[in-house]
Amino acid sequence: QKEVEQNSGPLSVPEGAIASLNCTYSDRVSQSFFWYRQYSGKSPELIMSIYSNGDKEDGRFTAQLNKASQYVSLLIRDSQPSDSATYLCAVDTTSGTYKYIFGTGTRLKVLA
Amino acid sequence: GAGVSQSPSNKVTEKGKDVELRCDPISGHTALYWYRQSLGQGLEFLIYFQGNSAPDKSGLPSDRFSAERTGGSVSTLTIQRTQQEDSAVYLCASSELAGADEQYFGPGTRLTVT
């Protein structure tokens, strides 16, 4: 069974700090990785995708991928209270069909 | 452009009744996915479509669940003889192509079975 694991949190950080969210996956040949943000009572919203080892930056968000270690992380710089949400990691599978497996999410709380 | 739309936004039904949930993907997106999210839980994959065909139905919980997609666009998820454990938010997502493409989610349908 292919798995994607995230610490459920909550991860609490003070406003203005860097929040670091981590995700590990079990399928060594996964190629596509995604971070979604989900506010309470809302649907997931795509933040970033990453496909290659290394860092990818978009505004205050940086995704980091290390395929050798099978982890992907999301850094949020200058965290704001509005960043408080659950962050979901999604990874493609090699089960022969095209779908993602989602982690259960990490709840982030940014304290004002 | 318009995003993924779903209807109804909320549905309350009695145990044993059938329900239909609708998803209208982003125009031009060929892949469409259905997920279920129970309260406080992660996303559970149900089924995906590439065009009108469903290569992967592995996530459908039982034979009471079925889905179809017509014209490569709108999809309907049908739950027959609903049970209380079917209560959840049903989310639809679409992407340009199946596979590595980014998925965009609709607002979801909250189903409550009484």
Side-chain angles (χ1 to χ4, degrees):
Chain A
Q1 176 72 13
K2 305 292 193 282
E3 293 184 349
V4 176
E5 295 190 357
Q6 298 180 254
N7 188 317
S8 61
L11 171 66
S12 296
V13 300
E15 183 175 358
I18 296 175
S20 177
L21 305 161
N22 299 313
C23 171
T24 59
Y25 59 95
S26 64
D27 188 348
R28 183 168 291 280
V29 298
S30 291
Q31 296 293 322
S32 308
F33 307 86
F34 307 86
W35 283 100
Y36 287 82
R37 176 175 62 196
Q38 186 173 28
Y39 292 112
S40 181
K42 301 294 185 182
S43 60
E45 171 192 7
L46 180 68
I47 300 175
M48 292 187 71
S49 57
I50 186 167
Y51 304 97
S52 304
N53 277 330
D55 295 1
K56 179 181 178 183
E57 187 174 317
D58 184 359
R60 295 187 297 112
F61 298 98
T62 299
Q64 298 176 318
L65 174 62
N66 184 322
K67 292 184 180 179
S69 300
Q70 294 176 241
Y71 82 79
V72 57
S73 62
L74 181 70
L75 302 179
I76 307 174
R77 290 183 299 282
D78 188 24
S79 295
Q80 301 297 308
S82 59
D83 295 326
S84 298
T86 296
Y87 289 80
L88 304 172
C89 171
V91 177
D92 72 330
T93 73
T94 57
S95 61
T97 60
Y98 296 113
K99 65 184 184 186
Y100 303 167
I101 294 186
F102 280 82
T104 53
T106 298
R107 189 156 64 96
L108 173 67
K109 298 174 78 171
V110 180
L111 307 172
Chain B
V4 178
S5 60
Q6 293 185 246
S7 62
S9 55
N10 280 285
K11 177 71 176 179
V12 180
T13 190
E14 292 180 353
K15 177 181 172 181
K17 300 284 190 184
D18 297 352
V19 295
E20 283 190 353
L21 311 179
R22 175 189 167 107
C23 172
D24 202 339
I26 292 171
S27 178
H29 280 195
T30 63
L32 185 149
Y33 301 79
W34 283 99
Y35 296 89
R36 178 169 73 174
Q37 189 171 36
S38 301
L39 189 63
Q41 301 299 308
L43 271 71
E44 176 187 3
F45 168 82
L46 298 178
I47 188 172
Y48 93 89
F49 290 90
Q50 177 60 49
N52 291 333
S53 64
D56 192 337
K57 306 178 183 180
S58 62
L60 294 176
S62 74
D63 59 7
R64 296 186 296 105
F65 287 72
S66 63
E68 65 174 13
R69 188 179 184 194
T70 55
S73 181
V74 172
S75 176
T76 303
L77 177 68
T78 301
I79 308 173
Q80 296 178 309
R81 305 181 303 280
T82 52
Q83 304 293 313
Q84 288 188 329
E85 61 263 29
D86 300 334
S87 297
V89 176
Y90 289 80
L91 291 160
C92 174
S94 71
S95 64
E96 284 195 41
L97 294 171
D101 275 356
E102 299 163 342
Q103 296 182 18
Y104 297 89
F105 282 84
T109 294
R110 182 176 299 278
L111 175 65
T112 303
V113 182
T114 61

